Amino acid sequence: MARIFPAIKTLNFKEILYLCILKSIHVPMHRKHLLNINIFLQSLCRYVLLFISAFWFFCQDCYAQSAFYSLGESYAKDGNYTEAIQLTKLCLSSDETNPDKLNLLFDYCALCNYFANIEEKDSCNYYADKAVSLSGRVDGIDDDAILSNVSHSFLKARLYSKAIDARIKIRDSYASKYGVESVQMINQLRLLADFYMQSGDKPNALKFAKQEEELSYKLRDVGTDFDQRISYAESFQYLRYIIQECEYVSTGVSYLINVLNKGQ
């Protein structure tokens, strides 16, 4: 998620220079072909930048907070979630006092994701609750998008029941907004099947894969726009995959035969 920066025309020289430095220093740490001296210089640049940030902006200026957040994202992309967490937490004190809570919401979502990647379940859940609670008080934010973000973090943290609960809430929200038999529901049913499958709940995975196939078949000729075209063949293939994974050989084969007899 991208934080909000003021318009460039409002920046003075030192702020523009600061942002340029930030954009120029990141080189992925995980590339094994980098020379050790390059890794050392890169790390040195990062710590020098942090020192300059803290001294120059006294850890309160909005540009410094955005820089810490962006640098945290940089570390997260390299798999260094501990450093990413520390940097993102530096944003909290300033963002919590800012009347515009959008950046604070991004902080919470990022921390939820970072803790999920190292399977710190309690911390992941803590920042997820904060993000979901705050999203309803931020203008222009889709609550379902935040909840979806949180659900994937729960899945990474192996908080399966919470991940599935979040996906069910999103499905119900989509059903209310678009209709139970809408095009938008197909992907929600697929995600529920996938989440149940990853949690080890094969019966429910099969249940929602069947629901997806049935809805996809019903809507297979709906829509002319590219984004709304229904790939029934894809839904059928996914259902077959779930049946194979669940090892429901007898019931699965008979069900697939019935599906094929619909005139696929």
Side-chain angles (χ1 to χ4, degrees):
M1 291 185 173
R3 290 170 62 90
I4 302 302
F5 282 90
I8 286 296
K9 64 182 181 181
T10 68
L11 303 184
N12 60 36
F13 173 76
K14 72 174 183 179
E15 291 158 348
I16 293 173
L17 176 63
Y18 184 77
L19 294 176
C20 289
I21 292 172
L22 173 65
K23 290 294 184 182
S24 67
I25 66 166
H26 175 62
V27 179
M29 293 286 288
H30 60 272
R31 295 180 182 175
K32 295 180 179 179
H33 65 272
L34 288 177
L35 296 176
N36 290 337
I37 186 63
N38 288 340
I39 296 174
F40 169 78
L41 290 174
Q42 174 189 308
S43 300
L44 181 62
C45 285
R46 284 176 167 167
Y47 284 109
V48 168
L49 178 61
L50 287 177
F51 175 79
I52 293 173
S53 302
F55 178 77
W56 205 346
F57 298 105
F58 302 100
C59 297
Q60 296 299 322
D61 186 275
C62 64
Y63 301 103
Q65 307 310 312
S66 295
F68 287 138
Y69 182 91
S70 298
L71 199 54
E73 283 188 317
S74 170
Y75 274 104
K77 288 176 182 177
D78 290 338
N80 189 343
Y81 295 106
T82 301
E83 194 71 29
I85 289 166
Q86 292 175 354
L87 286 163
T88 306
K89 282 185 174 182
L90 291 174
C91 305
L92 292 177
S93 60
S94 177
D95 289 338
E96 284 172 347
T97 59
N98 190 335
D100 184 352
K101 300 300 182 184
L102 182 59
N103 283 342
L104 181 61
L105 179 59
F106 291 166
D107 294 341
Y108 290 156
C109 288
L111 287 167
C112 175
N113 179 48
Y114 298 159
F115 279 114
N117 277 280
I118 57 176
E119 293 191 34
E120 290 280 351
K121 293 180 172 60
D122 290 341
S123 295
C124 173
N125 187 53
Y126 174 77
Y127 286 106
D129 287 345
K130 281 187 167 292
V132 172
S133 175
L134 183 61
S135 65
R137 295 185 278 129
V138 178
D139 293 336
I141 287 294
D142 183 356
D143 291 348
D144 289 336
I146 297 300
L147 198 56
S148 179
N149 186 296
V150 165
S151 74
H152 287 282
S153 294
F154 282 149
L155 194 64
K156 283 187 282 190
R158 302 180 189 273
L159 292 167
Y160 295 120
S161 62
K162 288 184 174 293
I164 290 168
D165 287 345
R167 293 265 35 126
I168 289 174
K169 288 179 181 177
I170 298 169
R171 180 209 54 186
D172 293 344
S173 174
Y174 269 60
S176 176
K177 288 190 289 188
Y178 305 110
V180 176
E181 294 188 347
S182 63
V183 169
Q184 291 83 355
M185 287 296 292
I186 293 175
N187 188 52
Q188 297 307 314
L189 295 171
R190 167 73 64 87
L191 284 166
L192 267 170
D194 187 56
F195 272 49
Y196 273 114
M197 195 67 188
Q198 292 193 55
S199 74
D201 187 344
K202 294 181 178 181
N204 271 316
L206 182 58
K207 169 187 169 182
F208 285 103
K210 286 180 178 180
Q211 289 183 16
E212 181 205 343
E213 183 275 329
E214 290 167 359
L215 181 58
S216 182
Y217 179 81
K218 186 176 292 187
L219 301 177
R220 66 193 184 283
D221 297 323
V222 172
T224 56
D225 295 336
F226 178 79
D227 289 339
Q228 286 192 317
R229 287 178 186 165
I230 305 305
S231 175
Y232 175 67
E234 182 181 335
S235 294
F236 177 80
Q237 291 298 329
Y238 182 73
L239 174 61
R240 185 166 67 178
Y241 158 75
I242 291 294
I243 287 175
Q244 290 172 343
E245 289 296 310
C246 293
E247 299 178 352
Y248 294 149
V249 178
S250 57
T251 57
V253 169
S254 62
Y255 186 84
L256 287 175
I257 290 173
N258 290 334
V259 169
L260 289 169
N261 288 336
K262 289 191 298 188
Q264 180 206 187

